[in-house]
Amino acid sequence: MTIASSNGSNRFQSPLVPDFTEAITTRPDRNTHDGREPDLHPPQEEQMDEMVEAVRTLLLGVGEDPEREGLLKTPKRVAEAMRFLTSGYNQSLEEIVNGAIFDEGHSEMVLVRDINVFSLCEHHMLPFMGKAHVAYIPNQKVVGLSKLARIVEMYSRRLQVQERLTRQIAEAVQTILEPQGVAVVIEATHMCMVMRGVQKPGSWTVTSAMVGVFEEKHKTREEFFNLIRHQAAIF
């Protein structure tokens, strides 16, 4: 499910109301190359010089002088920042989880909400940021709570679209735990809609991915949405 809204239009009812969670036909996965898996490869250290030179070319292209004092180190800084912001390509699910799966005999919902998300839109390479809520119903086994946040971080530190990011997180939790069900909701604002293009500050996008009992049972979905709807009052 994807819901988008903007402060410049009539406000819709909250996207976290269960009525909005009925199944919607999803678009084909565009994260492929002619239907095949994309040819991803770990970044090579020798490519750093090429990245630095590419940033220098961009500065020239916008009419700047890369030799002036304030920009002398900018190409290297930008290249290093891009490596950090896309460091999820260098991580794997196995590395992230690191065996932190425990047989606790637990079968009630586990939810980690309000996980900060920062990612780069693959269309314009501008940031989108917001919150992720990740829940699952164990099939006796649980995973360390911090691992859910690390899974969100790994997939968000790649060039992304919010819809795919949401689905990848859900599929990752399903893969490592084989639980009764997984639910993921991401609420985010996109700088490609704020800084350029339609230029609508205050707009936000909500995406969801439901697997297993969350997809099949209305009451289970409703419990999840109720838990993420209210404001936390811990601090």
Side-chain angles (χ1 to χ4, degrees), residues 59-223:
L59 290 172
L60 289 169
V62 299
E64 263 292 357
D65 176 11
E67 298 302 322
R68 69 178 177 85
E69 183 180 11
L71 293 178
L72 282 175
K73 296 182 179 179
T74 295
K76 187 172 187 295
R77 291 191 186 106
V78 172
E80 290 173 347
M82 286 301 300
R83 282 284 179 90
F84 173 77
L85 294 171
T86 58
S87 57
Y89 288 120
N90 302 322
Q91 297 175 308
S92 68
L93 201 51
E94 294 75 15
E95 174 189 346
I96 291 294
V97 175
N98 195 27
I101 296 175
F102 312 101
D103 192 345
E104 292 292 333
H106 191 67
S107 59
E108 298 295 329
M109 189 185 305
V110 178
L111 165 65
V112 178
R113 50 169 286 179
D114 298 326
I115 302 170
N116 287 321
V117 174
F118 301 92
S119 191
L120 291 177
C121 162
E122 68 179 29
H123 301 141
H124 301 97
M125 294 178 70
L126 288 173
F128 65 91
M129 61 206 75
K131 301 283 187 181
H133 315 290
V134 182
Y136 67 96
I137 297 182
N139 197 358
Q140 308 301 318
K141 294 180 180 180
V142 300
V143 66
L145 295 177
S146 67
K147 304 304 182 183
L148 296 177
R150 291 186 183 279
I151 288 171
V152 171
E153 186 176 83
M154 178 182 74
Y155 286 110
S156 63
R157 285 187 179 165
R158 301 179 181 188
L159 299 182
Q160 280 286 8
V161 295
Q162 186 177 327
E163 297 88 339
R164 183 171 68 237
L165 174 59
T166 308
R167 186 182 70 251
Q168 286 178 331
I169 295 168
E171 290 175 349
V173 177
Q174 182 69 27
T175 297
I176 63 173
L177 286 176
E178 297 183 343
Q180 298 178 56
V182 182
V184 178
V185 164
I186 295 179
E187 306 168 273
T189 183
H190 292 245
M191 292 301 102
C192 60
M193 286 184 62
V194 174
M195 299 174 64
R196 57 159 300 282
V198 71
Q199 298 180 57
K200 294 298 180 186
S203 62
W204 44 265
T205 299
V206 181
T207 50
S208 70
M210 304 288 156
V211 179
V213 293
F214 287 100
E215 183 179 20
E216 298 161 2
K217 296 185 178 180
H218 175 79
K219 287 187 176 180
T220 306
R221 286 200 308 274
E222 186 174 19
E223 179 186 0

